[in-house]
Structure formats: C-alpha cells, structure tokens
Amino acid sequence: MPGRAMRAGPGPSWRCADGADIIASLDAEMPPNPTAKVGEGGRDGVGHRAAWLYHRDDGFELYGFTFVDGAYLETVFAGADTADLDWAFDAWRSVARSDDV
C-alpha cells in the first residue's frame, strides 16, 4: 500500500543485561515524547516485545523491538495514514524467531 515503509536491523547483544535494563537503555535513546509505549510478553520463541509510537505531521512511526536470547531485532514501521496503525502493530507482532539458518 502506498505511504507505508518498513526497515529492520539487529541490535547489539545484551548478554549481561536483563530485560528491564535493556528497555531502560532503549528508552533513553528513543526520540522524546512518544505518543504511546507498548510492552508485551513473548511467545513462539520470542522473549518479549517493546514499541514506541510517534505521531508526526506526515503520519506515524512505530519503533518495535523483539527480544530473543539476549539480543534484539529493531523494526521501524512508518505510515502516512494515522488511521492505518493496525498494519504497523500487526507487522511488529508478526516478527517471529526462526531457527532455520
């Protein structure tokens, strides 16, 4: 759909930190004044998830983090239509662990 974008990249390994420490560190690095923050327990091999939502003049951005085994995947979903948030949240929640290499 036009007006949607997504990017993903691995975050650094956090072998010596617990989930609360990682979330606090990410929160300090995120842009200020999020519209919402979301945290969820994991399933299907995912430890937990966290997301920061920002409404912008030209739409929205959802910064999502999926944690597995002391590391995380950062995903950013952007859309031009703030009524289209379900797409971004569904896509973030669809990130799953795969043991296939």
Side-chain angles (χ1 to χ4, degrees), residues 9-98:
S13 180
W14 292 83
R15 300 270 177 224
C16 297
D18 65 20
D21 292 337
I22 296 169
I23 297 291
S25 178
L26 290 171
D27 193 43
E29 295 174 14
M30 296 302 296
N33 304 318
T35 305
K37 295 180 189 179
V38 178
E40 298 179 348
R43 65 182 186 285
D44 300 327
V46 173
H48 58 277
R49 302 175 196 279
W52 285 255
L53 173 66
Y54 296 89
H55 282 115
R56 309 284 189 214
D57 290 340
D58 59 348
F60 69 88
E61 291 180 317
L62 177 71
Y63 290 79
F65 298 86
T66 304
F67 299 88
V68 176
D69 295 337
Y72 66 87
L73 177 70
E74 177 182 4
T75 50
V76 180
F77 303 92
D81 182 0
T82 57
D84 194 24
L85 290 173
D86 287 344
W87 159 78
F89 278 101
D90 288 346
W92 166 60
R93 289 181 177 118
S94 75
V95 173
R97 178 184 178 140
S98 172

